[in-house]
Amino acid sequence: ENDNNGIEPIYLADYNETIINNIDFNEVLYYETATDAENNTNTIDTSLPYYNTSNPQTLYVRVQSTYDNTCYNTYSFAVLIQEEAMFTIPDDINACDDISADEIELFNLTDAYNGVINSANTSINLSFHTSQEDADDGANELPLSFNNTTNPQIVYGRVVAANGCISTFSFNLNVIQVADFTAPQPYYICDEDSNGTVIVDLTDDTYQALPERMDNLIATFYNTETDAENETNPIADPTNYAASYNTTVYIKLLNTVSGCYLIYPLNIVISTPPQVELNEAITICETANSTIQLSDYNNFLITNTTDYTFTYYNTEANAIAGTNALSNTYTYTSNNFTLYTVIVNTATLCQTITPVNYLISPTPIAYMVDDIYICTNNTTYNYNLTALNNTVLGNQDPAALEVTY
């Protein structure tokens, strides 16, 4: 009991199975006196709770055959009402969710355990469980260091006093989310002038470093995680931050309502524009229909083209604006023309715009050579074929062409 009056409801029917001990065709009846038990009078109604009239109190049991009520035995047992342990039930325990926002955190139940033990008015044994049934049965005891599996999660305590009285209680474990937000991905910035530094506004939505809604949230930026933990040396002006190659900024996001906060990194990766390897015009043999496939010459600009995209334009203005891109199949109208190619690194999104000069070389003509007849008694004859070069080339420039046989 917990009110110290010595009277408690007793559910006598709960003891029937123990008394019968699995013997069939018997019934159990309860009485306040031995005489009533012998005479089978004034039977206690076990469909209702029985309230003892003294403490301790002796009750009497009559076990009789369901076929013949004259075949019976009587027993007695004592009812002793003992006081439950008195103790302080722990308050709910709150934990701040981390950047994963999975609502799972490691809870330390030591303080709750010690609070119950130290507040008890008698010696007790205490255990924690995840269900009322386990607490009632003393099964599946939790360790004091415990990761919640639901949010909120009810923890049930089981207290066993020195006198054997068992009592249970419960409290909640709550994981509190700082904000509806996930950790930002690394942000790639192109260093257009290749000086190793880019001025960025860390608060800009571009970097997705902060939640969309900042109600009741305060963000502070730091250069190191230690500074963020200690709240020292904050970045003075996060809207005008000089980021260098592979900079990591740590952001402390404080919820002013719950007091919970997150510290998480924002990785800023600064990359240089693609380096064009071409330093001369691309010479192309003229085609019958005056068309070329521009992508056939990408590897003249960058040897390994796997991580790059190429887009072609007639003018530099169009290339800068990203308008009026040319088809890959290009029809040339002169033998010497310049196009502008935008090359984008697909990993860093860094880009460069480069002019590319194309020279269309006329297709060489090989003029026919008359058959040559040689008179000799031998089956072989040494003949200098290069003597035919002028005939093969005709009026074409022999310095620009090579003749092989």
Side-chain angles (χ1 to χ4, degrees):
E1 68 166 356
N2 55 24
D3 54 11
N4 204 29
N5 66 356
I7 299 174
E8 286 295 314
I10 304 168
Y11 297 88
L12 295 172
D14 291 346
Y15 302 97
N16 290 355
E17 290 298 327
T18 302
I19 294 172
I20 292 176
N21 196 24
N22 295 321
I23 299 175
D24 295 333
F25 311 114
N26 285 281
E27 63 177 338
V28 180
L29 305 171
Y30 299 88
Y31 305 86
E32 289 186 328
T33 68
T35 301
D36 283 344
E38 286 292 338
N39 297 330
N40 196 14
T41 57
N42 301 314
T43 305
I44 297 172
D45 184 358
T46 57
S47 67
L48 300 173
Y50 173 76
Y51 288 86
N52 59 301
T53 57
S54 64
N55 186 29
Q57 179 179 351
T58 300
L59 293 180
Y60 297 86
V61 180
R62 178 187 176 104
V63 180
Q64 64 184 23
S65 170
T66 55
Y67 295 109
D68 181 4
N69 63 6
T70 64
C71 180
Y72 69 92
N73 258 322
T74 60
Y75 310 89
S76 66
F77 64 92
V79 175
L80 178 62
I81 306 299
Q82 299 193 93
E83 185 181 1
E84 289 181 348
M86 304 295 291
F87 53 87
T88 301
I89 296 175
D91 293 330
D92 292 347
I93 302 176
N94 299 325
C96 299
D97 204 0
D98 58 25
I99 191 64
S100 68
D102 59 2
E103 299 185 68
I104 302 297
E105 290 298 322
L106 181 64
F107 285 85
N108 188 339
L109 304 181
T110 301
D111 287 344
Y113 180 91
N114 291 337
V116 174
I117 293 291
N118 295 334
S119 66
N121 64 346
T122 184
S123 176
I124 62 172
N125 288 323
L126 171 63
S127 57
F128 293 122
H129 310 264
T130 57
S131 70
Q132 183 65 59
E133 182 180 2
D134 283 349
D136 291 339
D137 297 339
N140 302 313
E141 180 178 350
L142 288 176
L144 294 182
S145 185
F146 167 68
N147 279 301
N148 64 301
T149 56
T150 61
N151 186 38
Q153 176 145 23
I154 302 175
V155 172
Y156 299 86
R158 172 188 172 93
V159 172
V160 182
N163 59 18
C165 281
I166 299 172
S167 55
T168 62
F169 62 90
S170 66
F171 60 95
N172 286 339
L173 304 180
N174 302 305
V175 178
I176 301 174
Q177 192 177 43
V178 175
D180 184 12
F181 179 61
T182 55
Q185 297 297 312
Y187 191 82
Y188 294 91
I189 303 176
C190 194
D191 183 9
E192 300 291 350
D193 56 9
S194 299
N195 70 347
T197 301
V198 177
I199 302 300
V200 298
D201 178 358
L202 297 174
T203 65
D204 193 289
D205 291 342
T206 303
Y207 306 104
Q208 299 182 337
L210 300 174
E212 288 186 13
R213 299 192 59 172
M214 289 293 291
D215 300 339
N216 303 314
L217 297 174
I218 297 175
T220 313
F221 300 80
Y222 300 87
N223 283 309
T224 69
E225 187 173 12
T226 300
D227 283 347
E229 289 285 359
N230 297 330
E231 296 185 349
T232 56
N233 306 313
I235 294 172
D237 185 4
T239 65
N240 190 37
Y241 180 72
S244 56
Y245 288 112
N246 298 325
T247 295
T248 299
V249 172
Y250 292 88
I251 304 170
K252 184 168 188 174
L253 190 65
L254 172 66
N255 187 310
T256 57
V257 175
S258 67
C260 284
Y261 66 86
L262 295 173
I263 294 177
Y264 55 93
L266 170 63
N267 295 318
I268 301 174
V269 181
I270 296 179
S271 303
T272 57
Q275 301 300 305
V276 177
E277 301 165 11
L278 181 69
N279 53 20
E280 59 184 18
I282 297 176
T283 301
I284 304 170
C285 290
E286 67 177 344
T287 60
N289 57 2
S290 298
T291 63
I292 58 174
Q293 300 299 312
L294 294 174
S295 60
D296 289 345
Y297 309 100
N298 290 346
N299 59 348
F300 283 76
L301 309 179
I302 294 179
T303 303
N304 184 357
T305 62
T306 304
D307 297 325
Y308 298 90
T309 62
F310 299 79
T311 313
Y312 317 96
Y313 299 88
N314 266 324
T315 67
E316 185 177 20
N318 284 344
I320 294 172
T323 57
N324 302 317
L326 299 173
S327 167
N328 185 50
T329 301
Y330 179 74
T331 301
Y332 57 86
T333 56
S334 70
N335 291 337
N336 185 348
F337 58 93
T338 298
L339 300 179
Y340 293 84
T341 302
V342 176
I343 307 171
V344 179
N345 184 315
T346 56
T348 67
L349 301 184
C350 246
Q351 73 173 37
T352 192
I353 299 175
T354 185
V356 180
N357 184 232
Y358 297 85
L359 293 179
I360 305 301
S361 178
T363 302
I365 300 173
Y367 292 98
M368 294 296 295
V369 177
D370 293 336
D371 292 341
I372 300 172
Y373 296 93
I374 300 172
C375 295
T376 179
N377 293 327
N378 298 322
T379 57
T380 61
Y381 185 82
N382 291 327
Y383 188 84
N384 184 7
L385 293 174
T386 59
L388 303 174
N389 286 0
N390 289 337
T391 303
V392 172
L393 294 176
N395 294 327
Q396 299 172 97
D397 183 5
L401 300 171
E402 178 182 4
V403 181
T404 58
Y405 300 89

